[in-house]
Amino acid sequence: MGEKLKTKELILTVATEVFHNKGYTGARMQEIADLAQVNKAALHYYFNSKQQLFEVILLNSFKNLFISFENLAVKKLPILDKIDFLIDEYSAFVRKKIQIIKFILSEVDKNLPLIQTNIKMISLENSFIDRMYNEFDREMKLGNIKMINPRHLLTNIISMCIFPFIAKPVIMEINKFSTDEINAFLDEREKYIKQFVHNALKI
Amino acid sequence: MGEKLKTKELILTVATEVFHNKGYTGARMQEIADLAQVNKAALHYYFNSKQQLFEVILLNSFKNLFISFENLAVKKLPILDKIDFLIDEYSAFVRKKIQIIKFILSEVDKNLPLIQTNIKMISLENSFIDRMYNEFDREMKLGNIKMINPRHLLTNIISMCIFPFIAKPVIMEINKFSTDEINAFLDEREKYIKQFVHNALKI
DNA sequence: GTCTATAGGAAGATAGAC
DNA sequence: GTCTATCTTCCTATAGAC
């Protein structure tokens, strides 16, 4: 039984890799079987169909992304320092999980009902997001930062942290960057995002 | 001869639609033929292979996106008003071209050499982007707005305008928005992006 | 230039031996 | 539980008639 669980998890691991890299329509059951060093029949034995295997992986990926997000350490810091900390955490997160983020963004549209019916399993009571909104609200009312809709503030920060990594090759072409230059540009972004957000929020 | 050109362009039009919606691996030559009301053989007669048809469409799409970007009206306005104008233009642009933007972002990675060898055909001398950078520089030196690396400033603005539309369903789930709520949220974003950028740049 | 017919192969899925 | 062999369907591409 130990061995059996191992096989199923091995398939899931390599299938995750393949789906993340190729997307649903680009993924091939044969490639997954080869990488897992099992036969195609084993894939169907454990997961019934490509669609069902994919759904397991999409939901896992979505949950992982959510949980990573939720588990961002929330140190007790002055609000602007905390925002700096968040920008560092988001940026590190994006660098590490860029492939999953791209996968989710490209597949989520066609599978929204699936995600919506399964999302409730993820506890979202008093979530990290809600706590951030509350904290933004409190600090604004205390007069520590400028007034701004907290949801748009967080959306702005996340957009600035994630989008350039998704659009890396396009930004590269627009700016006529070499490979070294685009990488240096992405590396220095945290500094400029922090500066930008500070300027936007400081009273 | 008139009719022949028409057929080729008809195929190109419907193929563009299909590739934009399904991506390369999801697109089917049969579907393109059906929508164009021609036979599959006609597709190969005009474009030789799926790959070559795709490459024509990817390059066209990339050029169109570039050109739309370049052709943004550059009215003579005070810098902060001009930035407001740009945010409006970018947002309208994203709303109209979201499908192309997603297509480019998902396909550009695997086809970077193709794009790089063909990008030179697009004139980029004294481009819109470069003129914006120069204008940002000038206004900063004049003391009209705060100092910030112009490339990061433009990247910040574009990220805030585009990313929420790409991540629409994810933002919807994170915020527990209904369909109406997420649409209202996206509609009101321009206002908050402008406010945010103003706060970040005003001396 | 456009069609029918079909080649040739790859894909997902299943039956049945072990 | 894992395999080989095979089915069926689908896909890209081509040959050849008109």
Side-chain angles (χ1 to χ4, degrees):
Chain A
M1 189 178 98
E3 285 308 307
K4 292 161 194 172
L5 270 178
K6 250 190 180 165
T7 300
K8 185 168 184 177
E9 276 168 32
L10 175 64
I11 291 171
L12 205 52
T13 303
V14 305
T16 299
E17 180 82 7
V18 172
F19 277 117
H20 282 182
N21 284 316
K22 312 261 173 99
Y24 179 78
T25 55
R28 296 288 171 255
M29 297 294 267
Q30 185 62 63
E31 185 185 0
I32 294 168
D34 292 347
L35 287 171
Q37 289 176 292
V38 295
N39 194 279
K40 271 193 292 181
L43 272 51
H44 286 92
Y45 173 78
Y46 285 109
F47 296 97
N48 293 319
S49 70
K50 181 185 181 185
Q51 181 63 31
Q52 284 184 45
L53 174 56
F54 169 79
E55 290 182 0
V56 170
I57 288 166
L58 180 62
L59 287 174
N60 276 345
S61 303
F62 202 86
K63 283 175 195 171
N64 282 341
L65 217 58
F66 245 90
I67 288 165
S68 306
F69 228 77
E70 287 288 314
N71 285 351
L72 284 187
V74 205
K75 288 184 185 161
K76 195 119 184 72
L77 287 170
I79 184 67
L80 283 176
D81 292 335
K82 183 176 254 182
I83 289 174
D84 280 355
F85 179 76
L86 280 182
I87 291 167
D88 283 332
E89 292 283 310
Y90 285 157
S91 300
F93 176 74
V94 173
R95 269 180 243 276
K96 212 170 73 184
K97 307 254 188 177
I98 184 66
Q99 203 66 50
I100 306 180
I101 292 171
K102 284 185 185 176
F103 170 72
I104 299 277
L105 290 178
S106 63
E107 301 289 351
V108 78
D109 277 307
K110 303 157 224 155
N111 296 280
L112 202 50
L114 172 75
I115 287 172
Q116 284 174 330
T117 56
N118 285 277
I119 199 76
K120 284 134 201 163
M121 299 181 182
I122 308 170
S123 166
L124 283 177
E125 302 305 314
N126 189 27
S127 70
F128 166 77
I129 299 278
D130 288 333
R131 279 180 279 126
M132 282 307 301
Y133 290 157
N134 289 336
E135 184 157 354
F136 286 159
D137 256 335
R138 192 171 56 246
E139 296 289 328
M140 286 173 197
K141 277 167 188 154
L142 286 170
N144 293 337
I145 50 174
K146 284 219 187 83
M147 295 294 284
I148 174 176
N149 179 311
R151 290 176 196 272
H152 286 284
L153 172 56
L154 191 64
T155 302
N156 287 347
I157 292 173
I158 293 176
S159 298
M160 289 189 286
C161 288
I162 300 184
F163 183 73
F165 286 88
I166 296 174
K168 179 176 171 177
V170 178
I171 293 176
M172 193 174 158
E173 291 308 312
I174 288 179
N175 288 286
K176 300 165 207 157
F177 282 153
S178 68
T179 306
D180 286 348
E181 284 167 339
I182 181 66
N183 286 332
F185 180 77
L186 291 177
D187 282 342
E188 72 188 11
R189 270 197 62 71
E190 279 154 74
K191 185 173 80 184
Y192 290 102
I193 297 173
K194 287 180 202 170
Q195 179 195 332
F196 195 72
V197 176
H198 274 236
N199 286 343
L201 290 181
K202 258 189 292 194
I203 302 281
Chain B
M1 188 178 99
E3 285 309 308
K4 293 161 197 174
L5 270 177
K6 252 190 179 164
T7 301
K8 184 168 184 176
E9 276 168 31
L10 175 64
I11 291 171
L12 205 52
T13 302
V14 305
T16 299
E17 181 83 7
V18 172
F19 276 116
H20 283 181
N21 284 318
K22 311 259 172 102
Y24 179 78
T25 55
R28 295 290 170 254
M29 297 294 268
Q30 185 64 61
E31 185 183 0
I32 294 168
D34 291 348
L35 287 171
Q37 290 176 294
V38 295
N39 194 278
K40 274 191 291 179
L43 272 50
H44 286 93
Y45 173 78
Y46 285 109
F47 295 97
N48 294 317
S49 70
K50 183 186 181 184
Q51 181 63 32
Q52 283 183 48
L53 174 55
F54 170 79
E55 289 182 0
V56 170
I57 288 167
L58 180 63
L59 287 174
N60 276 346
S61 302
F62 202 87
K63 282 176 196 173
N64 282 341
L65 216 58
F66 244 93
I67 288 164
S68 305
F69 227 79
E70 287 288 312
N71 285 353
L72 285 187
V74 204
K75 287 184 184 162
K76 193 117 186 73
L77 287 170
I79 185 66
L80 284 176
D81 293 336
K82 183 175 255 181
I83 288 173
D84 280 355
F85 179 76
L86 280 182
I87 291 168
D88 283 332
E89 292 283 310
Y90 284 156
S91 300
F93 176 73
V94 173
R95 270 180 243 276
K96 213 171 71 183
K97 308 255 185 175
I98 184 66
Q99 203 66 48
I100 307 180
I101 292 171
K102 284 185 185 177
F103 170 71
I104 299 276
L105 290 179
S106 63
E107 301 288 351
V108 78
D109 277 307
K110 303 158 223 153
N111 295 280
L112 202 53
L114 173 75
I115 287 172
Q116 284 175 330
T117 56
N118 285 277
I119 199 75
K120 284 134 200 164
M121 297 179 183
I122 307 169
S123 165
L124 283 177
E125 301 306 313
N126 191 27
S127 70
F128 166 76
I129 298 278
D130 289 333
R131 279 180 281 125
M132 282 307 301
Y133 290 156
N134 289 335
E135 185 157 353
F136 286 158
D137 256 335
R138 191 171 58 246
E139 296 289 328
M140 286 172 197
K141 280 171 187 152
L142 286 170
N144 293 336
I145 51 174
K146 285 219 187 85
M147 294 293 284
I148 174 177
N149 179 313
R151 289 176 197 270
H152 285 284
L153 172 57
L154 191 65
T155 301
N156 287 347
I157 293 173
I158 293 175
S159 297
M160 290 189 286
C161 289
I162 299 183
F163 182 73
F165 286 89
I166 297 174
K168 178 176 172 177
V170 178
I171 292 176
M172 192 173 158
E173 293 308 313
I174 288 181
N175 288 286
K176 299 164 208 157
F177 282 153
S178 69
T179 306
D180 285 348
E181 284 167 338
I182 180 66
N183 287 332
F185 180 77
L186 291 176
D187 282 343
E188 71 188 12
R189 271 199 61 71
E190 279 152 77
K191 187 173 79 184
Y192 290 102
I193 298 173
K194 286 180 203 170
Q195 179 195 331
F196 196 72
V197 176
H198 275 236
N199 286 342
L201 291 179
K202 258 191 290 194
I203 300 280

